[in-house]
Amino acid sequence: MKSINMILYWVIAMVIGLSACGDDDEKTIPAHTEEEKIWIADNQKYFQEKKEDVEDDGQLLYQRLVVDEDTLLYRVLETSQIDSFPEIDADVKVSMLGVIPVSQTVIVGNKDGNPIDQTLKLDSPNLIKGLAALLPKIRKGERVDAIIPYQLGYGDRNYSNPYIPLCSTLQFTFTVKSFD
């Protein structure tokens, strides 16, 4: 009987101890199907790889922007001399291509994978957090590549229109054309 109690205590201790383990860089994600777990792992791996990308001179390729304790990555591909930024309630006209990089699925753009022009309302509740936080920091005329983790994108649920699987890392390449 004493050995059974010891085994039960050991099992309880292991369950409690192992459930407390975690990775500081990753959020805890609810259990899903095996296919979804693979998808989530692939997306997290892609984001981590981009987070660690460096240029030839050893500098990080992507700048980081922390939003609500999560980090998005971005780099300015073409700079602008215009020293004007959109206000938090602006309508921003952009030319944008959005993809799910792990599957190379286009979510914003035409069928050929070319950017499309659209207007984004910065104060819209429908605009994902990552873009809402990044766009006010981009000058008119700048072209940007942004990698947005699921926490600042569409979250840990499937999104229907366009279809975006749960926990998808998103990548947007856009040029700010104007804002008002």
Side-chain angles (χ1 to χ4, degrees), residues 87 89-93 119-123 178-180:
E87 297 290 326
D89 61 348
D91 292 346
V92 181
K93 292 180 176 82
T119 301
L120 304 174
K121 295 183 76 56
L122 292 187
D123 59 355
S178 65
F179 44 83
D180 46 285

Side-chain angles (χ1 to χ4, degrees), residues 21-170:
C21 294
D23 184 336
D24 290 338
D25 289 339
E26 298 177 8
K27 303 279 186 212
T28 302
I29 300 170
H32 297 283
T33 67
E34 284 306 310
E35 184 177 278
E36 289 172 335
K37 288 178 186 177
I38 292 168
W39 175 257
I40 292 166
D42 288 347
N43 277 271
Q44 289 176 330
K45 179 181 175 193
Y46 180 85
F47 189 82
Q48 277 306 120
E49 287 171 355
K50 292 300 179 182
K51 196 175 180 181
E52 297 166 7
D53 273 355
V54 293
E55 297 187 67
D56 293 337
D57 64 2
Q59 296 291 320
L60 288 173
L61 184 61
Y62 288 93
Q63 296 178 58
R64 298 164 188 216
L65 177 62
V66 177
V67 180
D68 296 337
E69 299 181 12
D70 293 304
T71 302
L72 68 85
L73 308 173
Y74 73 99
R75 62 185 173 143
V76 177
L77 302 172
E78 293 175 23
T79 59
S80 172
Q81 299 305 317
I82 300 171
D83 200 21
S84 177
F85 298 90
E87 297 290 326
I88 195 67
D89 61 348
D91 292 346
V92 181
K93 292 180 176 82
V94 296
S95 175
M96 177 179 282
L97 176 64
V99 299
I100 301 172
V102 171
S103 64
Q104 289 301 304
T105 303
V106 174
I107 56 172
V108 176
N110 66 23
K111 291 184 242 178
D112 299 325
N114 293 314
I116 60 169
D117 291 342
Q118 62 183 139
T119 301
L120 304 174
K121 295 183 76 56
L122 292 187
D123 59 355
S124 170
N126 297 325
L127 185 61
I128 62 171
K129 275 186 179 181
L131 287 175
L134 180 59
L135 282 166
K137 300 180 180 324
I138 307 302
R139 291 178 175 93
K140 179 180 175 183
E142 285 186 322
R143 187 166 166 255
V144 175
D145 175 28
I147 300 174
I148 300 176
Y150 78 92
Q151 300 94 325
L152 299 174
Y154 292 98
D156 61 359
R157 293 195 173 91
N158 293 322
Y159 183 78
S160 61
N161 191 20
Y163 178 70
I164 299 171
L166 76 164
C167 300
S168 291
T169 296
L170 308 173

